[in-house]
Amino acid sequence: MENETNYILAIESSCDDTSAAILRNTTVLSNVVASQKIHEQYGGVVPELASRAHQQNIVPVVDQALAKANIDKKQLSAIAFTRGPGLMGSLLVGTSFAKSLALGLGLPLIEVNHMQAHILAHFIQDTNMSPPKFPFLALTISGGHTQILKVSDYFKMEVLGQSLDDAVGEAFDKSAKVLGLPYPGGPLVDQYAQKGNPRAFEFPIPKVKDLNFSFSGLKTSILYFVQRKTKENPDFISENLVDICASIQYTIVTILMQKLKKSVKQTGINTIAIGGGVSANSGIRKALVNAEKDLGWTVHIPKFEYCTDNAAMIGIVGYLKFKKELFAEQNVTASARYSF
Ligand code: KG4
Ligand code: ZN
């Protein structure tokens, strides 16, 4: 099977992006993402609306992925889909669609863990990326997760630490909401932060045991800080937006880097691969590039389109499982709290 050409159709629908991709072995031929704008007006993802939008998007998105790759569905070797973790109503759409299509086309079905996919996205063949060497540490930072893992092989991963409450993406989004910024506020905080002074305001670094994280206290301290300052000056936010954003980002990046340094010390592994939507953040990217220079780490940062939710990362896991013939049965079900 090693030298064969295999085409994998991958489907991702765990949260608010409907995505389909076609991979030829480890190469991405297409990666179509339909993001749902509907949630912006609610300041967060509304699960019921997300599953409805997936229902509308899934057929056109899969059609587009096939068309862009110039592949007929008869050429497919297998269908991979996100089984979890994620929102149940959203996962059900992709899962049911993948199961039906695999049954209809008589193809093997491959179930994929979304968080594992964020990590294995590094193994997509791309001129701008080189895969990390095992063992490495993975930092997965998204709107739903904050984890540090030791990755010994493709499917041998051990969680060393994780958030005990909010995910780091939520910390960005909730802080942005306090500042009156629209959802999702993470990328906006990043944009403003690049123009501000990171030392302008000081927010507390939480004391959390081992390699775990906590972000809920940070959000509360930002809320109280902003309330107190706006009482003194109603224009405080607008007059200081870039400095507030820079200070928030600085605090979050400091928290992440402190734990990463601790995990490098603890494991003796200094190859780091990041994944998840927050990997797009300029502050964390800069801090990691500096760690390469100053601490001798080897850092792997995925291409932007493979950082946020996408089906290409589901496809690479699909391909790796296809080679090992790790197929799912037709009675496989979506799993909102799927862990590995
Ligand atoms: O991985 P992802 O697309 O979806 C989840 O699985 O959660 O991550 C989305 C999260 C959101 O919280 C978003 O605000 C955050 O990633 N995000 C950022 C940036 N770009 C996306 N946070 C900070 N800075 C960014 N540049
Ligand atoms: Zn994700």
Side-chain angles (χ1 to χ4, degrees), residues 17 114 118 142-144 169-170 172-173 184-187 190 276-278 280-282 307-309:
D17 294 308
H114 179 92
H118 270 305
S142 75
E170 277 180 289
F172 270 108
D173 296 339
D190 189 6
V278 182
N281 183 266
S282 65
C307 283
T308 52
D309 286 353

Side-chain angles (χ1 to χ4, degrees), residues 4-9 22-25 29 66-67 69-79 105 107-108 322:
E4 276 177 21
T5 301
N6 298 292
Y7 293 104
I8 310 286
L9 164 65
I22 306 285
L23 271 77
R24 185 181 59 226
N25 297 350
L29 300 183
L66 285 163
N70 203 13
I71 293 293
D72 187 273
K73 48 186 182 305
K74 289 196 196 87
Q75 291 172 267
L76 295 174
S77 316
I79 296 176
L105 296 173
L107 291 175
F322 182 79

Side-chain angles (χ1 to χ4, degrees), residues 280-312:
N281 183 266
S282 65
I284 188 73
R285 283 176 177 239
K286 230 177 266 162
L288 286 166
V289 170
N290 285 341
E292 277 199 310
K293 276 189 270 159
D294 303 341
L295 307 171
W297 293 5
T298 304
V299 173
H300 295 263
I301 302 176
K303 236 172 131 177
F304 180 74
E305 63 195 279
Y306 305 140
C307 283
T308 52
D309 286 353
N310 68 88

Side-chain angles (χ1 to χ4, degrees), residues 123 130-137 151 269 271 300:
F123 294 91
S130 64
K133 290 197 174 69
F134 298 115
F136 63 89
L137 296 175
V151 186
I269 300 170
T271 300
H300 295 263

